[in-house]
Amino acid sequence: MTHRFIAACRREPVDRIPVWMMRQAGRYQPSYRAVRANVSFLELCRSPELIAQVTLAPIDEFGFDAAILFSDILVHLPAMGLDLSFEKGEKGKGDGGPKIANPVRTRADVDALKIPDPQKDLPYVLDGVRAIRKGLAGRVPLIGFVGGPFTVASYVVEGGSQGFTRLKTMLWADPKAAHALFEKLTQAAIVQIQAQIAAGAEAAQIFESWLGELAREDLEEFAFPHLARIAEAVKKTGVPSIFFSTGTTSHLERIAKLGYDVISVDWRIPIEDARARVPGVAIQGNYDSTLLLGPKDNAVARAQAMLRAAGPRPGYIFNLGHGIQVGTPTETVKAVVDAVHAFTWK
Amino acid sequence: MTHRFIAACRREPVDRIPVWMMRQAGRYQPSYRAVRANVSFLELCRSPELIAQVTLAPIDEFGFDAAILFSDILVHLPAMGLDLSFEKGEKGKGDGGPKIANPVRTRADVDALKIPDPQKDLPYVLDGVRAIRKGLAGRVPLIGFVGGPFTVASYVVEGGSQGFTRLKTMLWADPKAAHALFEKLTQAAIVQIQAQIAAGAEAAQIFESWLGELAREDLEEFAFPHLARIAEAVKKTGVPSIFFSTGTTSHLERIAKLGYDVISVDWRIPIEDARARVPGVAIQGNYDSTLLLGPKDNAVARAQAMLRAAGPRPGYIFNLGHGIQVGTPTETVKAVVDAVHAFTWK
């Protein structure tokens, strides 16, 4: 029988509303912090055994309806020729930001970028996928993921999380270099997600988190064509595709035409509006992750209110508008998951 | 004759499209940096002569169609009992962020807040308004402004620019304290904007910059009622009101019902969509300020494309989606202002 998460992606009826949460494996969990006490973030991303361990932990602990590969949207950058590191996060906060010692600034820098070979360059990711599938033993589906070209480019060009000014001015000052960069990052995204799916990933999410930085004109020229190609590449594999971004709800109808099965929306739009505006795709989201840091009863009541607003029509997956925040109590996560599973419209 | 800026606020026909830019007096100008070489940010905000000087400079230099009072949305906080300071910005960057040494965390903290008396507590702001009006001598209208309650509360509760987690969890953990805080900040906003108008401000902009952090349910409970009261208070004075926020385009129809004459939108929505969705208000915006950091010809071409998209219907003011960024070349600002003034639909 098709799992309820996959059924919801395909807008088929489900027995219960499927729920998972972005960054469901992360620093808010004592079990994750215990793993990270001994290894760095990149060491974790490069160990198939640890990838499987941290990916599976929230499935066992909270009963989520999907697992998502533990990895990072920048994990392939060393194979492209970029010197990636992660700063140690402040105590009590999340992981530190990424740093790229040799950021891409010129057309020559773009031309020097290699397209990664996932089998050769990222075997630990694919071995991680296989280890997770083995550990899941069919309980819930596994979601693979890659970063969207604009979002990955923002780190690659800025050299870290320093905003978007260098990348955006490159779009207009040297559009050929920008197009060449997005082309390479798109190819890199496609080979990676296809390899993850071949290794066992049963759905694919594209994290184009920072797309809201671009105006429509720039989205049309520099982002949407590449995102449509990635959707097409996933479609060929037969697994459902999910598109995630923030700050883009004005473009929802346009984004729904990119070819993804599911659109993940942030908290900036009422869920009923999102569902009404793009009835031809499934919707994932859009619970405000900050609610999980507040009182548990309120977090549960707001989840229930959101489900009522989302309505009984098939094609809805409960998730957050962005990732779970550091400091989120695990008992609140559990209470919300349980409330989603208990919810009915009778 | 009614000035074209005021006419556009009222959706009346104009001879040319009015243009001003948020943060048009700021660090991107050599003249502003020269003033700031000798005084701190708060010293500048407290000198009527310097307020007038920096407010008038961009009118003379670029030919903007409106002046906006040089001040800060937090300038009244010391009069409310809060210990406000501004960190020195990094060299070459903008001003440092605000710091509040005694942030508001409890109901008792809220109850201790005083409502400022603008005549007594902020005379330099009102004297600044009078000095600007004198310096303008009727050339262009003067816009007064205040911060919106949610945006001001975010600094007041977090103690600076540290995000929104403490404020948002207060909404749910202690809604009575949150309501009391917003009530006080609304009263403070109303007395300030009314005093600015009485002193000579000819329009009023409400900066509710961070409203996109809230989901609709929270906006309805904690933000919109207060924002409607501020709009009503401005309406009684007879000057046009402008509502500014970012990340809120999904709520545009709802925001248009708050009672403001003009809605300022960020770059995340095509201008033609914004105008079509809320025909009953004027629209201000929504040029991406990063364009001004790129090639001048492209910046001008994109301004022209935006004007074509905005269309000839009355009720449009050219502005940015957010403030002018540090490092913006003054010649690009001048070229865009000139292009807006030269634009016609013939």
Side-chain angles (χ1 to χ4, degrees):
Chain A
M1 204 189 86
T2 307
H3 189 276
R4 66 172 74 106
F5 168 75
I6 300 292
C9 291
R10 294 181 176 148
R11 289 178 289 139
E12 294 165 3
V14 289
D15 61 334
R16 293 166 182 216
I17 298 163
V19 47
W20 70 282
M21 296 187 188
M22 285 178 281
R23 230 179 286 158
Q24 63 192 17
R27 278 215 171 262
Y28 78 101
Q29 295 176 287
S31 63
Y32 176 91
R33 295 197 297 271
V35 170
R36 281 299 309 286
N38 302 312
V39 296
S40 73
F41 179 66
L42 276 178
E43 284 168 344
L44 169 51
C45 288
R46 289 171 180 162
S47 160
E49 295 72 27
L50 292 179
I51 289 172
Q53 183 183 328
V54 301
T55 299
L56 293 168
I59 307 304
D60 298 332
E61 190 173 354
F62 305 109
F64 288 118
D65 291 300
I68 181 161
L69 170 67
F70 189 90
S71 187
D72 190 85
I73 61 167
L74 307 182
V75 73
H76 60 298
L77 295 188
M80 296 189 80
L82 296 168
D83 182 3
L84 172 74
S85 60
F86 282 82
E87 298 179 312
K88 251 185 129 67
E90 287 174 62
K91 211 171 157 59
K93 302 245 175 149
D95 290 305
K99 288 279 158 195
I100 293 160
N102 56 341
V104 170
R105 297 283 160 84
T106 66
R107 178 65 199 256
D109 294 340
V110 174
D111 291 341
L113 292 174
K114 292 181 283 286
I115 305 300
D117 174 347
Q119 311 295 335
K120 199 175 112 268
D121 298 320
L122 303 161
Y124 43 84
V125 173
L126 307 181
D127 288 340
V129 168
R130 293 180 197 104
I132 297 163
R133 283 294 306 270
K134 196 172 166 192
L136 284 172
R139 283 180 290 159
V140 301
L142 171 62
I143 305 169
F145 74 90
V146 289
F150 176 77
T151 298
V152 174
S154 73
Y155 298 101
V156 162
V157 172
E158 307 287 341
S161 313
Q162 271 102 46
F164 306 90
T165 303
R166 280 180 187 275
L167 173 57
K168 286 175 68 173
T169 50
M170 184 198 277
L171 303 185
W172 308 312
D174 194 352
K176 283 183 185 175
H179 276 295
L181 174 60
F182 292 131
E183 174 62 34
K184 283 203 168 176
L185 294 176
T186 300
Q187 287 182 39
I190 288 174
V191 295
Q192 283 180 94
I193 198 66
Q194 286 179 331
Q196 289 177 26
I197 295 165
E202 295 157 285
Q205 178 153 325
I206 313 305
F207 284 91
E208 190 64 295
S209 312
W210 309 134
L211 210 58
E213 293 298 319
L214 293 182
R216 178 73 67 90
E217 205 161 338
D218 298 309
L219 290 169
E220 291 291 357
E221 180 166 356
F222 294 103
F224 288 156
H226 300 294
L227 292 167
R229 282 175 54 209
I230 297 172
E232 198 187 349
V234 175
K235 195 177 289 287
K236 280 181 190 158
T237 69
V239 311
S241 58
I242 309 170
F243 181 74
F244 171 79
S245 63
T246 68
T248 54
T249 48
S250 293
H251 314 297
L252 201 50
E253 291 83 355
R254 178 65 183 88
I255 288 171
K257 289 180 186 156
L258 292 176
Y260 293 88
D261 297 296
V262 186
I263 308 296
S264 195
V265 290
D266 69 17
W267 64 90
R268 293 185 177 92
I269 183 170
I271 193 70
E272 62 272 29
D273 291 359
R275 299 206 75 202
R277 282 172 53 190
V278 289
V281 295
I283 290 289
Q284 174 177 281
N286 67 343
Y287 189 85
D288 181 351
S289 63
T290 312
L291 286 161
L292 297 173
L293 289 163
K296 186 168 76 173
D297 288 353
N298 178 67
V300 167
R302 288 288 291 265
Q304 290 163 333
M306 200 176 87
L307 294 174
R308 278 191 296 277
R313 183 161 52 85
Y316 174 68
I317 298 158
F318 186 100
N319 205 317
L320 313 179
H322 213 154
I324 294 184
Q325 296 178 49
V326 176
T328 296
T330 53
E331 57 269 31
T332 305
V333 173
K334 181 79 177 106
V336 168
V337 172
D338 289 348
V340 176
H341 281 154
F343 188 85
T344 61
W345 282 277
K346 314 175 289 205
Chain B
M1 204 187 87
T2 307
H3 189 275
R4 66 172 75 105
F5 168 74
I6 299 292
C9 289
R10 296 181 174 148
R11 289 178 291 138
E12 295 165 2
V14 289
D15 59 334
R16 292 165 182 216
I17 298 164
V19 48
W20 70 281
M21 294 187 188
M22 285 179 280
R23 229 178 286 158
Q24 63 193 16
R27 278 216 172 263
Y28 78 100
Q29 296 175 286
S31 63
Y32 177 91
R33 295 197 298 271
V35 171
R36 282 298 311 284
N38 302 313
V39 296
S40 74
F41 179 67
L42 276 178
E43 284 168 344
L44 170 50
C45 288
R46 289 170 181 165
S47 161
E49 296 72 28
L50 292 179
I51 288 172
Q53 182 182 329
V54 301
T55 299
L56 293 168
I59 309 303
D60 297 333
E61 190 173 354
F62 305 110
F64 288 118
D65 291 302
I68 181 159
L69 171 66
F70 189 91
S71 188
D72 190 85
I73 61 167
L74 307 182
V75 75
H76 60 299
L77 294 188
M80 296 189 79
L82 295 168
D83 182 5
L84 173 73
S85 59
F86 282 83
E87 299 179 310
K88 251 187 128 66
E90 287 174 61
K91 211 173 158 57
K93 302 244 175 149
D95 290 303
K99 287 280 158 194
I100 293 161
N102 56 342
V104 170
R105 298 283 160 81
T106 65
R107 178 64 198 258
D109 294 340
V110 174
D111 291 340
L113 292 174
K114 293 183 283 285
I115 305 299
D117 174 348
Q119 310 295 337
K120 199 175 111 265
D121 297 321
L122 304 161
Y124 43 83
V125 172
L126 307 181
D127 289 341
V129 167
R130 294 181 196 103
I132 298 164
R133 282 295 304 272
K134 196 172 167 193
L136 284 172
R139 282 179 292 160
V140 301
L142 171 63
I143 305 169
F145 75 91
V146 289
F150 176 76
T151 299
V152 174
S154 74
Y155 297 101
V156 163
V157 172
E158 306 289 340
S161 315
Q162 271 102 47
F164 306 90
T165 303
R166 280 179 188 274
L167 174 57
K168 288 175 68 174
T169 50
M170 183 196 278
L171 303 185
W172 309 312
D174 193 352
K176 284 183 184 175
H179 277 294
L181 173 61
F182 292 132
E183 173 62 33
K184 285 204 167 175
L185 294 177
T186 299
Q187 287 182 37
I190 288 173
V191 295
Q192 283 181 94
I193 197 67
Q194 286 178 331
Q196 289 177 25
I197 294 164
E202 297 157 283
Q205 179 152 325
I206 313 306
F207 283 90
E208 191 65 294
S209 311
W210 310 134
L211 209 59
E213 292 299 319
L214 293 183
R216 177 74 66 92
E217 205 161 339
D218 298 308
L219 289 169
E220 291 291 355
E221 180 167 358
F222 295 103
F224 289 156
H226 301 295
L227 293 167
R229 282 176 55 210
I230 298 173
E232 199 187 348
V234 176
K235 195 179 289 287
K236 282 181 188 158
T237 69
V239 312
S241 58
I242 309 170
F243 181 74
F244 170 79
S245 63
T246 68
T248 55
T249 47
S250 293
H251 315 298
L252 202 50
E253 291 83 355
R254 178 66 183 88
I255 288 172
K257 288 180 187 156
L258 293 176
Y260 293 88
D261 298 296
V262 186
I263 307 297
S264 196
V265 290
D266 70 15
W267 65 90
R268 293 186 177 91
I269 182 170
I271 193 71
E272 62 272 27
D273 291 359
R275 300 205 74 202
R277 281 172 53 189
V278 288
V281 295
I283 290 290
Q284 173 177 282
N286 68 344
Y287 188 86
D288 180 352
S289 64
T290 312
L291 285 161
L292 298 173
L293 289 163
K296 186 167 76 174
D297 288 354
N298 179 67
V300 167
R302 288 288 291 266
Q304 291 164 331
M306 202 176 86
L307 294 174
R308 277 192 296 277
R313 183 161 52 84
Y316 174 68
I317 298 158
F318 186 100
N319 205 317
L320 312 179
H322 213 155
I324 295 184
Q325 297 178 49
V326 176
T328 297
T330 53
E331 58 268 31
T332 306
V333 173
K334 181 80 178 104
V336 168
V337 172
D338 290 347
V340 175
H341 281 153
F343 188 85
T344 62
W345 281 277
K346 330 171 277 210

